[in-house]
Amino acid sequence: MSLLKLFLFCLFLIFGTLCSADNYGSIGVNYGRIADNLPQPSRVVELLKSNGITRVKIFDAESSVLSALANSNISVTVCMPNGLLSSAANDQSFTDSWLNSNIVPFYPQTMIEAIAVGNEVFVDPQSTPYLVPAMKNMYASLQKLNFSADIKVSSPVALSALQNSYPPSSGSFKSELIEPAIKPMLTFLQQTGSYLMANSYPFFAYEANTDTISLDYALLRPNEGVKDPANGNVYMSLFEAQLDAVFAALDALNFSDIKVVVSETGWPSAGGDTEFGAGIDNAAAYNGNLVRRVLTGGGTPLRPNDKLNVFLFALFNENQKGGPVSERNYGLFYPDTKKVYDIPLSLDALNGTMSNPTNRSKAKVPIPSPPVNQGPSTKGQTWCVANVQAGQEKLQSALDYACGEGGADCRPIQSGERCFHPDTLEAHASYAFNSYYQKMSRASWTCYFGGAANVVTQLPSNFNCEYPTMRGRKMLHLM
């Protein structure tokens, strides 16, 4: 084994590969303030910086928050509230004035990256007609200030705007929204080089369907996966399935080039008696596993090459929010800035936990895709195989690691042994990756290798080569 390759691969695992940083997604946090006990914005900025959070989204354009964020190297998305949409739509002088009051005094010292015009506007039929005209006026006002190249204009859309979301490949927008609102909005985003903001909450889907949705699947924990019968894609998390439903809806309208940012997602740490699934352990699992999934790179089955950019909801528990108990318990932090639960929120923090195997969580969910030469289905089992899209160099480095420091049993793929044929890098890497994965009791983070591997639910078959699997504590071999 090449010591240089092993060294470089370990550096990749621990620090990330700087030359391919664009492959990694980003984690931001929604900073809501519907509470009477939150710390001052200056203290909040220190909290964000101490946790490595470099992107934040607020639900207004509060001057004290924007002032505190100045020169912090934290990017911020601001919001024009729904109540202002009609004024913004009817008169561009209104958006001129709004920008002069809320953006100009702070930019560029405060790194304002986007303006969300409204929030989940399609939920309110009365506000829907104002959305696109307001977005267009906002963009025109940004152009006047020469800000439009750097500050994007978008609007968060709730998944309730979808007519169909399962299976993911059938995703489509509600027919009554398409012509009057969805198409004009997507055309605007396309023309201005912006992106769609989507709010995704697997918690709501799980809470309403506990009889049919696996909790492990909802929390991005190791599970058998769910297969889309239309295209064969295997989903290892409800989050990815929901996101692909949005992508499918975009594809159906011929807007496949529009990127998507997940502007809200989260899991409550407490809930009422009928809010099934709410709780600290589940919130820690969902948010922690999602952070690991986003920061270790890769996209979804429908868009495997698109990085994931996600804003968690929310920074704090907010004691003045109405609705069910869960609404007041989405925070990562209590108002006194203590963590509700301990999860990594940045790549540095994630690398800190990954560098010590005893601190690793069963959380890293890979990019699912079917392997070459699938054998018959073996219910309840999973295997780890090479991701051929990763490229030869990454596969070779990962193979060297698995057979070296990883301790995989690579004897069967040596020349003359039973699994040497087919003599291809992909076949050898698949065997080595799976050996390591089964040895580590199929913890999903052990089938990643920097994006070089995938979990699959079909038994790989390479001639007379047997792929090991794990049941309980006993290692088995299946033909």
Side-chain angles (χ1 to χ4, degrees):
M1 179 186 67
S2 166
L3 291 177
L4 176 59
K5 286 183 177 179
L6 173 59
F7 174 74
L8 292 175
F9 183 66
C10 291
L11 283 180
F12 171 78
L13 286 176
I14 297 173
F15 299 110
T17 305
L18 294 179
C19 64
S20 60
D22 285 344
N23 292 328
Y24 300 107
S26 67
I27 288 291
V29 178
N30 283 273
Y31 172 18
R33 304 189 315 282
I34 306 178
D36 60 5
N37 56 356
L38 298 184
Q40 292 298 312
S42 58
R43 189 179 176 198
V44 172
V45 171
E46 291 307 311
L47 178 68
L48 295 170
K49 292 168 69 174
S50 66
N51 284 275
I53 299 170
T54 59
R55 300 181 78 186
V56 66
K57 176 172 161 281
I58 60 178
F59 294 90
D60 50 23
E62 169 60 38
S63 60
S64 63
V65 174
L66 295 179
S67 293
L69 286 165
N71 303 308
S72 65
N73 289 322
I74 297 173
S75 298
V76 58
T77 295
V78 303
C79 181
M80 170 181 275
N82 290 2
L84 301 181
L85 291 184
S86 61
S87 297
N90 291 328
D91 189 352
Q92 189 185 318
S93 65
F94 182 86
T95 52
D96 290 344
S97 176
W98 190 87
L99 287 174
N100 282 318
S101 298
N102 296 285
I103 302 299
V104 172
F106 309 102
Y107 182 78
Q109 290 79 12
T110 299
M111 296 168 55
I112 299 170
E113 65 173 330
I115 299 172
V117 177
N119 184 54
E120 298 189 346
V121 176
F122 297 143
V123 174
D124 178 12
Q126 301 301 316
S127 298
T128 297
Y130 300 120
L131 177 59
V132 177
M135 294 173 74
K136 289 181 176 179
N137 281 344
M138 183 68 75
Y139 182 75
S141 295
L142 285 169
Q143 285 182 307
K144 286 183 180 180
L145 296 167
N146 293 320
F147 291 170
S148 59
D150 300 312
I151 300 178
K152 301 300 183 183
V153 175
S154 187
S155 185
V157 174
L159 288 192
S160 59
L162 296 179
Q163 184 80 48
N164 298 305
S165 60
Y166 181 83
S169 59
S170 70
S172 61
F173 291 107
K174 288 182 176 177
S175 56
E176 65 270 23
L177 291 174
I178 291 176
E179 293 301 330
I182 297 291
K183 277 189 175 180
M185 180 184 68
L186 296 177
T187 299
F188 167 81
L189 296 177
Q190 189 178 62
Q191 292 174 341
T192 61
S194 189
Y195 47 81
L196 178 66
M197 296 179 176
N199 294 345
S200 170
Y201 284 93
F203 169 70
F204 295 145
Y206 173 76
E207 179 192 26
N209 300 277
T210 56
D211 56 333
T212 57
I213 295 178
S214 157
L215 183 59
D216 286 339
Y217 180 63
L219 297 178
L220 294 90
R221 294 196 299 218
N223 64 91
E224 295 181 17
V226 176
K227 187 175 182 178
D228 187 321
N231 57 21
N233 284 337
V234 177
Y235 288 86
M236 305 306 293
S237 72
L238 181 54
F239 171 82
E240 290 187 62
Q242 289 186 339
L243 190 51
D244 264 2
V246 176
F247 289 139
L250 291 172
D251 294 345
L253 297 179
N254 297 315
F255 287 98
S256 302
D257 57 329
I258 291 180
K259 304 295 184 182
V260 174
V261 167
V262 179
S263 40
E264 288 183 34
T265 190
W267 197 283
S269 61
D273 292 340
T274 60
E275 294 187 278
F276 305 111
I280 285 184
D281 289 344
N282 288 347
Y286 177 78
N287 285 319
N289 292 345
L290 181 59
V291 169
R292 292 174 176 88
R293 173 67 183 86
V294 169
L295 295 182
T296 51
T300 65
L302 284 185
R303 294 197 183 178
N305 297 319
D306 283 10
K307 59 185 178 181
L308 301 175
N309 294 309
V310 173
F311 286 85
L312 301 179
F313 186 88
L315 189 59
F316 295 110
N317 285 339
E318 298 172 72
N319 66 352
Q320 292 188 316
K321 294 191 74 173
V325 174
S326 62
E327 286 295 314
R328 295 176 288 283
N329 290 280
Y330 274 89
L332 301 168
F333 296 88
Y334 294 111
D336 63 2
T337 72
K338 292 181 181 178
K339 289 185 175 181
V340 178
Y341 42 84
D342 192 12
I343 61 170
L345 293 170
S346 68
L347 188 59
D348 286 343
L350 176 60
N351 287 331
T353 61
M354 289 175 62
S355 64
N356 183 350
T358 63
N359 290 334
R360 288 174 174 165
S361 169
K362 297 180 181 181
K364 192 179 295 180
V365 181
I367 311 165
S369 65
V372 178
N373 298 327
Q374 288 184 343
S377 174
T378 307
K379 185 174 177 59
Q381 300 299 325
T382 55
W383 292 265
C384 181
V385 299
N387 173 18
V388 295
Q389 296 180 344
Q392 299 285 299
E393 185 175 355
K394 183 176 284 189
L395 284 179
Q396 185 63 61
S397 294
L399 174 60
D400 289 345
Y401 174 82
C403 294
E405 186 176 303
D409 181 7
C410 294
R411 290 171 297 178
I413 57 175
Q414 303 304 308
S415 180
E417 298 298 326
R418 69 180 189 278
C419 293
F420 179 71
H421 292 290
D423 182 14
T424 66
L425 176 59
E426 291 80 10
H428 290 178
S430 289
Y431 188 91
F433 296 165
N434 185 64
S435 172
Y436 180 75
Y437 175 65
Q438 303 296 340
K439 168 188 149 182
M440 301 300 289
S441 301
R442 296 186 299 182
S444 62
W445 56 265
T446 63
C447 182
Y448 186 68
F449 295 96
N454 301 321
V455 167
V456 296
T457 58
Q458 295 286 336
L459 173 62
S461 177
N462 287 323
F463 300 96
N464 293 321
C465 181
E466 299 176 357
Y467 273 68
T469 188
M470 175 71 69
R471 283 181 179 161
R473 295 180 179 272
K474 184 179 180 181
M475 182 77 80
L476 303 176
H477 285 77
L478 299 176
M479 290 296 294

